[in-house]
Amino acid sequence: QVQLVQSGAEVKKPGASVKVSCKASGYTFTSYDINWVRQASGQGLEWMGWMNPNSGHTGYAQKFRGRVTLTRNTSISTAYMELSTLKSEDTAVYFCARASSWGSSTYYFDSWGQGALVTVSS
Amino acid sequence: QSVLTQPPSASATPGQRVTISCSGSSSNIGSNSVNWYQQLPRTAPKLVIYSNNQRPSGVPDRFSGSKSGTSASLAISGLLSEDEADFYCATWDDSLNAVVFGGGTKLTVL
């Protein structure tokens, strides 16, 4: 079965960087985009960006451009999200999600990681 | 402020039907299909409807979706207490080149 297993909780100081991993299993890692979505406590879902694990191509939400970097290691079927220059407002649960698509107008997240809590505090 | 607009809350009694709306614009819902996610407390979201009205394997047929123009809706019939959760609509926005979510609707089963 498809599984996405994320790394554990992190505590970081303002200004630091964090790198969260997402290990995929149960399918061909390079065949599906991986997206990243975050959720602050009590708030809604916020999309951060996507990565094609085959080509390495990425796309980022305007809000995070310049601060987020999505990468992958295909040999171990793992995707990474690195967020730099952390602020207290970046405290949130970060999810990875596998994306499936049909044609040019259908794109959805059919499997999610369990989430990784990142706390930014001095 | 979310790009897609959902009511913050909805409620109904067990066995009833409830509908949750999602309003967007020509660059998102008007151009692309809509997906719905259910998030139970302290868990990851789960896909319940994709491509406007398709149910993934394992999702009960009590869940249905529809889309018309720049709006979409999720309907849940025969409500169960276990359906109590937050629901989010989402789609791609061609102007923003981004996935956009609604603000979420908290469904309470009274």
Side-chain angles (χ1 to χ4, degrees), chain B residues 22-100:
Chain B
C22 176
S23 177
S25 67
S26 58
S27 64
N28 43 66
I29 293 179
S31 308
N32 299 290
S33 62
V34 178
N35 313 304
W36 291 89
Y37 302 93
Q38 175 189 42
Q39 188 177 31
L40 298 170
R42 295 172 298 282
T43 67
K46 171 192 168 187
L47 180 70
V48 292
I49 292 290
Y50 67 98
S51 191
N52 303 326
N53 55 18
Q54 302 298 302
R55 274 179 292 105
S57 171
V59 173
D61 59 7
R62 302 185 296 104
F63 290 80
S64 61
S66 64
K67 174 186 139 176
S68 178
T70 58
S71 294
S73 62
L74 172 72
I76 310 171
S77 60
L79 264 179
L80 303 174
S81 57
E82 67 207 49
D83 296 331
E84 191 163 282
D86 294 325
F87 289 86
Y88 296 89
C89 59
T91 187
W92 183 263
D93 189 297
D94 292 337
S95 295
L96 297 173
N97 266 325
V99 171
V100 291

Side-chain angles (χ1 to χ4, degrees), chain A residues 64-119:
Chain A
F64 299 103
R65 257 170 236 161
R67 272 211 311 144
V68 68
T69 305
L70 303 184
T71 57
R72 87 290 191 210
N73 182 334
T74 56
S75 68
I76 56 172
S77 300
T78 300
Y80 302 93
M81 185 283 299
E82 184 169 20
L83 187 62
S84 62
T85 320
L86 289 169
K87 317 165 205 175
S88 58
E89 309 90 89
D90 294 318
T91 295
V93 176
Y94 289 77
F95 296 99
C96 60
R98 187 185 85 159
S100 287
S101 62
W102 292 357
S104 60
S105 65
T106 298
Y107 191 78
Y108 56 94
F109 305 148
D110 60 5
S111 188
W112 294 68
Q114 83 276 19
L117 174 62
V118 174
T119 302

